[in-house]
Amino acid sequence: MQKTKTALITGITGQDGSYLAALLLSKGYVVHGIKRRSSSFNTDRIDHLYRDPHEEQVRLFLHHGDLTDGGNLIRLLQQIEPDEVYNLAAQSHVAVSFEQPEYTADVNALGTLRLLEAIRALGLARRTRFYQASTSELYGLVQEVPQRETTPFYPRSPYAVAKMFAYWTVVNYREAYDIFACNGILFNHESPVRGENFVTRKITRGAARIKLGLQDCLYLGNMDARRDWGHARDYVEMQWRMLQQDRPRDFVIATGVQHTVRDFVGATFRELGMPLTWQGEGLDEVALDDTGRRIVAVDPRYFRPTEVETLLGDPTLAHEALGWQPSTSFDELVREMVASDRRGAEREALLRQHGLHS
Ligand code: NDP
Ligand code: GDR
């Protein structure tokens, strides 16, 4: 009989953490997750997976912790002795990293080091496999199109610089201590539970609220930015597959298809039955609905000091070695996110109608 595997997920309360936890539970894993203490509940995305610890056969356990707290991480690893660690926790917002560069480095760079050092110090190097949430932001000012595992890095934000430290720490611990550690260089991936201040979710949520009369206008930054967008559900499957290989390697995960932010806006409003007319350019660019009302505009507050203008991945290696095949197209992704945010906006409108919305 196969032994039950135990996984530890940092960042389990985030977008990827919630999809990965569901995936691992469906595969029979015992899943431990680290959640941060906060003054209000922050487990919305995993509440549907959670069982009261007093019930029988519980396989999901949550622990308070933080990547900035080395002692806490050592204790948790010592107690859990996981077969697999998925390090998804991060200050993951690129624009915010310009406002909080030191904190971002502490979590994203040193946090990864703390985990790997704990694995080494506790003698878990032979037992515990390690997945690092690396990112296409490493390519930043792109040196090659499309970007693959061998493309040189040129990070363009405190977020990406910190992730680059983490990337090389993973490579170094793999080579120095023989830890089975992999970098997944994942391109942007989205879903209905994407954080509301990442551009895709901001667009689908804002557009749905405009459709329902809850908001007048959607303000965005750089609409020329190009991204390779996929679905988080597909991407977490690859995180798991990377740790099931015979030997540890780093992989690009991407769809190989690129769109602008403007394309995403257009596709979203089309899905809502609201075709747009674009006018003006630069700071004056706006989109009008069919009554001539301005519903999308540029606000320079969302510009970044240094921007990543274009990202397009080449997932050939993952296709060959991991069987990677994205199952969700751009249009399907937009449709799923719009449907979910439309339901949310309809709920909000109904509550407002009955004077129940706070
Ligand atoms: P989210 O922002 O949705 O989730 C981040 C998670 O990290 C949350 O659970 C958050 O907790 C937790 N976290 C933040 N700071 C700390 C800390 N100091 N200690 C412990 N936990 C912390 O990100 P995603 O799920 O989208 O991304 C997962 C990982 O993948 C991140 O590392 C991200 O940088 C990386 N990545 C993401 C891509 C994407 O397109 N989504 C692409 C490439 C890489 P809380 O819920 O309390 O805020
Ligand atoms: P990104 O995602 O920075 O690629 O990082 P985000 O959705 O924040 O931005 C994508 C592009 O859209 C432009 N943009 C805006 N972005 C936001 N957030 N808000 C706006 O109003 C807006 N208008 C235009 C941005 O300038 C950018 O060019 C995400 C995160 O998940 C990282 O953690 C991850 O590593 C990378 O994807 C891969």
Side-chain angles (χ1 to χ4, degrees):
M1 221 172 71
Q2 229 186 350
K3 177 184 157 297
T4 304
K5 280 194 186 172
T6 301
L8 171 65
I9 304 177
T10 74
I12 194 167
T13 57
Q15 171 188 254
D16 287 13
S18 61
Y19 279 102
L20 181 65
L23 177 76
L24 296 181
L25 289 169
S26 76
K27 291 183 182 296
Y29 278 61
V30 171
V31 176
H32 293 262
I34 296 182
K35 65 169 177 174
R36 298 195 286 176
R37 194 271 154 183
S38 69
S39 66
S40 48
F41 289 125
N42 60 356
T43 53
D44 278 14
R45 292 189 180 102
I46 48 169
D47 283 346
H48 63 294
L49 302 173
Y50 193 72
R51 299 276 170 280
D52 188 302
H54 304 98
E55 286 178 24
E56 276 174 30
Q57 298 195 321
V58 172
R59 286 191 289 116
L60 173 63
F61 302 92
L62 297 180
H63 310 264
H64 281 115
D66 200 296
L67 283 203
T68 60
D69 185 342
N72 162 268
L73 298 176
I74 291 171
R75 233 172 333 98
L76 288 174
L77 280 164
Q78 189 172 34
Q79 185 189 322
I80 297 164
E81 292 193 338
D83 299 297
E84 297 169 8
V85 171
Y86 295 87
N87 183 31
L88 309 184
Q91 190 304 89
S92 70
H93 203 284
V94 173
V96 172
S97 78
F98 289 97
E99 290 166 44
Q100 292 192 275
E102 188 177 327
Y103 176 71
T104 302
D106 196 3
V107 179
N108 300 8
L110 293 180
T112 308
L113 176 70
R114 288 183 189 107
L115 279 169
L116 284 164
E117 190 52 19
I119 288 172
R120 175 167 92 102
L122 292 167
L124 293 172
R126 292 272 175 278
R127 171 183 181 132
T128 302
R129 296 185 170 199
F130 189 87
Y131 172 84
Q132 169 60 16
S134 281
T135 164
S136 50
E137 285 292 299
L138 297 174
Y139 300 119
L141 193 64
V142 303
Q143 309 292 302
E144 182 183 27
V145 181
Q147 296 86 54
R148 50 180 70 90
E149 290 77 4
T150 50
T151 302
F153 297 147
Y154 193 132
R156 293 268 282 173
S157 62
Y159 167 83
V161 172
K163 285 282 187 178
M164 186 152 148
F165 176 99
Y167 172 94
W168 284 115
T169 303
V170 166
V171 174
N172 182 237
Y173 272 61
R174 182 165 74 209
E175 293 173 355
Y177 309 117
D178 218 11
I179 296 179
F180 191 114
C182 301
N183 284 293
I185 307 174
L186 270 52
F187 283 60
N188 298 54
H189 46 278
E190 321 294 312
S191 73
V193 297
R194 180 60 142 155
E196 287 92 343
N197 58 0
F198 295 95
V199 78
T200 55
R201 184 76 199 287
K202 182 173 167 181
I203 294 167
T204 56
R205 182 171 176 275
R209 296 184 84 249
I210 290 170
K211 173 83 180 174
L212 271 286
L214 298 164
Q215 182 175 327
D216 295 328
C217 186
L218 172 64
Y219 292 98
L220 295 169
N222 178 12
M223 286 204 266
D224 293 317
R226 293 172 176 275
R227 289 292 184 275
D228 178 331
W229 279 296
H231 197 302
R233 192 176 39 225
D234 295 342
Y235 285 52
V236 300
E237 165 93 25
M238 293 304 114
Q239 299 175 350
W240 173 75
R241 281 200 203 171
M242 275 182 226
L243 295 197
Q244 316 311 312
Q245 299 295 291
D246 292 337
R247 66 184 175 94
R249 284 164 89 179
D250 306 325
F251 290 95
V252 160
I253 306 293
T255 67
V257 181
Q258 195 187 45
H259 293 273
T260 62
V261 169
R262 191 179 297 101
D263 292 338
F264 202 102
V265 173
T268 297
F269 279 98
R270 251 194 324 278
E271 186 60 32
L272 287 162
M274 300 172 74
L276 297 176
T277 306
W278 293 92
Q279 276 183 5
E281 53 186 54
L283 288 177
D284 296 323
E285 181 170 8
V286 292
L288 312 176
D289 69 6
D290 58 3
T291 68
R293 193 168 54 115
R294 186 192 73 148
I295 54 173
V296 183
V298 175
D299 183 339
R301 89 177 61 197
Y302 300 114
F303 292 166
R304 296 165 183 190
T306 40
E307 171 66 302
V308 173
E309 292 289 349
T310 177
L311 291 172
L312 175 65
D314 173 1
T316 304
L317 184 66
H319 177 66
E320 288 169 2
L322 302 175
W324 165 243
Q325 196 71 59
S327 71
T328 318
S329 70
F330 177 78
D331 287 338
E332 287 164 346
L333 173 67
V334 172
R335 195 168 309 135
E336 188 181 330
M337 292 178 71
V338 168
S340 169
D341 277 325
R342 189 178 185 148
R343 282 194 297 277
E346 283 166 353
R347 251 193 320 271
E348 186 184 337
L350 198 65
L351 289 174
R352 276 182 197 277
Q353 218 180 326
H354 293 279
L356 295 169
H357 195 265
S358 52

